[in-house]
């Protein structure tokens, strides 16, 4: 395999040098009172949720610029090879961080370069349980040393904080702001100082996610189109934020470009009180308009999709309905391919659902901790 490491002219020393640490210069420049948005939280995450919702997990996604050195020393450095997406997933049981493409530990020959894809920290045991690191060259293996260094960094970061205690649950932490400040102090004490390798304005494509369980049944909408969610229904939310990290942390209310709502079987669309579709993937765009991406037909809609006459009637009825509401129905559907008709059905469902989803967002505007979905989606306070 071709080498991607740096090969000096002089011979490498006989001893194996330590693997690089991902240095926390950015944390070193901030005081504990200047913690990121999480430090603005008061009380536990669970305390901020509506009583009708239970949080299963939360997450964040962002993109780092490519060809950026994150830390290291004379022996090796860790860097991005190209624009790199980072996922952070937080649950009651643990924290998982993953990256794609992997971060590269670029080592001096004859040490092998190493790709780092992520790590998992288990709150139940208070320990790092997995580090996904692999050698990329036929050379002195370094993946184990890199994994040990990352493990030591994680242990140092949580030392003296509740996170380091087995059984920690971030969702019930009554002093989450204090815990985050403690983690930041530990990061700052281990940083080498100097300019941060990545500035907030360089971090973009930010998205937040949350897995929620609806504890009470939901029924929103009208006879034209309504939504029903049973008690215990599981839903995944994903919100794309506008701007860079500098914009998001500026103190101004965040702006959501979209809110996607997915569920395999929890959200049912009704018409005239009857279930007609199970909505599996829909998107609420900024301003409140709804787009249905994927659904499973039920009842009369399913029956209509299974016969030629039903397909023709369904297509015409949907288009007449759009025209009746003042919209442009487009050219009449003559292709009875179910995929074509389903596309028309999805468009019509989106129009019918807009009011129902707006009502659901109003009722569950605090489902993503720290964000008022009504304001962020441009739907009013």
């Amino acid at each position: 395999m071709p080498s991607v490491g740096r090969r000096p002219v002089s011979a490498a020393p006989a001893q194996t040098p330590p693997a690089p640490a991902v240095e926390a210069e950015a944390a070193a420049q901030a005081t504990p009172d200047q913690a990121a948005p999480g430090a603005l939280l008061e009380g536990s995450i669970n305390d901020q949720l509506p009583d009708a919702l239970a949080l299963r997990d939360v997450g964040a996604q962002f993109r780092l610029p490519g060809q950026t050195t994150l830390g290291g020393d004379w022996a090796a450095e860790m860097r991005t090879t190209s624009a790199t997406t980072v996922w952070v997933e937080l649950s009651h049981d643990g924290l998982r961080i993953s990256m794609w493409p992997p971060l590269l530990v670029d080592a001096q020959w004859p040490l092998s370069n190493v790709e780092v894809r992520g790590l998992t920290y288990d709150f139940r045991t208070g320990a790092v349980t997995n580090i996904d690191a692999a050698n990329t060259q036929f050379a002195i293996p370094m993946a184990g040393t890199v994994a040990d260094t990352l493990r030591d960094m994680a242990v140092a970061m949580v030392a003296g904080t509740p996170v380091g205690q087995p059984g920690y649950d971030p969702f019930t932490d009554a002093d989450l702001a204090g815990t985050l400040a403690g983690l930041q102090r530990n990061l700052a004490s281990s940083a080498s100082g100097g300019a941060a390798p990545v500035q907030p304005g360089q971090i973009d494509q930010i998205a937040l996610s949350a897995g929620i369980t609806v504890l009470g049944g939901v029924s929103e909408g009208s006879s034209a189109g309504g939504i029903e969610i049973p008690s215990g229904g599981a839903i995944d939310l994903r919100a794309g934020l506008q701007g860079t990290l500098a914009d998001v942390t500026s103190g101004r209310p965040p702006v959501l470009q979209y809110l996607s709502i997915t569920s395999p079987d929890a959200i049912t669309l009704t018409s005239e009180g009857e279930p007609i579709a199970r909505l599996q993937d829909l998107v609420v765009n900024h301003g409140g308009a709804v787009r249905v991406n994927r659904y499973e037909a039920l009842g009369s809609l399913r029956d209509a999709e299974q016969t030629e006459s039903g397909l023709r009637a369904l297509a015409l009825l949907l288009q007449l309905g759009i025209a009746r509401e003042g919209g442009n129905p487009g050219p009449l559907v003559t292709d009875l391919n179910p995929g074509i008709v389903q596309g028309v059905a999805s468009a019509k469902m989106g129009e019918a659902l807009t009011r129902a989803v707006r009502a659901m967002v109003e009722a569950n505007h605090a489902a993503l901790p720290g964000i008022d979905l009504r304001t962020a989606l441009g739907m009013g306070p």
Side-chain angles (χ1 to χ4, degrees):
M1 179 182 295
S3 170
V4 294
R6 303 184 310 280
R7 298 173 182 265
V9 175
S10 58
Q15 71 273 20
T16 300
V22 180
E23 298 177 304
E25 288 92 340
Q29 295 179 345
T31 65
D33 294 333
Q34 295 173 326
L40 302 177
L41 295 173
E42 297 180 0
S44 72
I45 293 177
N46 281 353
D47 289 340
Q48 299 184 56
L49 287 174
D51 293 338
L53 300 178
L55 193 60
R56 303 192 315 274
D57 53 70
V58 294
Q61 173 189 319
F62 55 89
R63 187 176 67 172
L64 299 173
Q67 296 298 323
T68 300
T69 299
L70 304 177
D73 53 27
W74 66 270
E77 65 182 20
M78 180 176 285
R79 61 179 172 85
T80 60
T81 56
S82 58
T84 300
T85 300
V86 180
W87 293 270
V88 181
E89 302 170 51
L90 184 68
S91 69
H92 293 277
D93 296 334
L95 171 70
R96 183 170 64 178
I97 302 174
S98 54
M99 294 82 70
W100 188 263
L103 297 180
L104 176 68
V105 177
D106 192 357
Q108 295 278 14
W109 183 259
L111 306 176
S112 173
N113 291 340
V114 177
E115 287 185 344
V116 179
R117 295 179 175 84
L119 62 84
T120 301
Y121 186 90
D122 192 329
F123 294 140
R124 295 167 297 184
T125 60
V128 175
T129 56
N130 179 64
I131 295 178
D132 189 352
N135 298 301
T136 65
Q137 297 169 293
F138 186 73
I140 297 175
M142 286 288 290
T145 305
V146 170
D148 289 342
T149 299
L150 293 175
R151 187 174 289 107
D152 291 343
M153 288 175 59
V155 170
M157 185 178 69
V158 304
T161 73
V163 181
Q165 300 298 317
Y168 173 73
D169 186 343
F171 298 158
T172 61
D173 188 341
D175 185 21
L176 186 57
T179 299
L180 292 172
L183 295 173
Q184 186 178 10
R185 282 193 296 270
N186 289 343
L187 281 172
S189 66
S190 65
S192 62
V198 180
Q199 300 298 322
Q202 297 175 280
I203 300 174
D204 60 6
Q205 293 193 4
I206 301 167
L208 303 178
S209 61
I212 62 173
T213 300
V214 179
L215 301 180
V218 172
S219 181
E220 301 286 354
S222 63
S223 59
I227 288 177
E228 292 185 354
I229 302 175
S231 177
I235 298 174
D236 291 317
L237 304 176
R238 178 182 172 82
L241 276 65
Q242 188 178 87
T244 66
L245 183 60
D247 300 317
V248 172
T249 58
S250 66
R252 296 186 297 271
V255 177
L256 300 189
Q257 295 177 310
Y258 65 87
L259 173 67
S260 72
I261 305 172
T262 59
S263 176
D265 53 19
I267 308 174
T268 300
L269 172 65
T270 63
S271 179
E272 304 295 339
E274 296 294 328
I276 62 168
R278 184 169 290 117
L279 303 177
Q280 298 168 326
D281 183 356
L282 60 97
V283 174
V284 185
N285 291 308
H286 189 82
V290 177
R291 182 180 75 248
V292 176
N293 291 330
R294 189 173 74 254
Y295 71 90
E296 176 189 352
L298 303 173
S300 58
L301 179 59
R302 179 185 57 207
D303 295 340
E305 289 188 350
Q306 292 176 346
T307 66
E308 179 176 334
S309 60
L311 285 172
R312 186 181 300 278
L314 174 63
L316 292 176
L317 284 174
L318 290 171
Q319 290 186 298
L320 287 174
I322 294 173
R324 200 164 44 238
E325 294 180 3
N328 180 6
L332 292 179
V333 173
T334 56
D335 184 345
L336 298 183
N337 182 303
I340 299 294
V341 178
Q342 285 182 353
V344 179
S346 294
K348 180 58 181 173
M349 286 180 192
E351 293 187 13
L353 280 171
T354 295
R355 180 176 299 178
V357 169
R358 288 177 68 96
M360 188 170 67
V361 169
E362 173 71 29
N364 301 284
H365 59 89
L368 287 174
I371 293 181
D372 188 318
L373 291 176
R374 301 167 301 182
T375 304
L377 279 166
M379 294 166 56

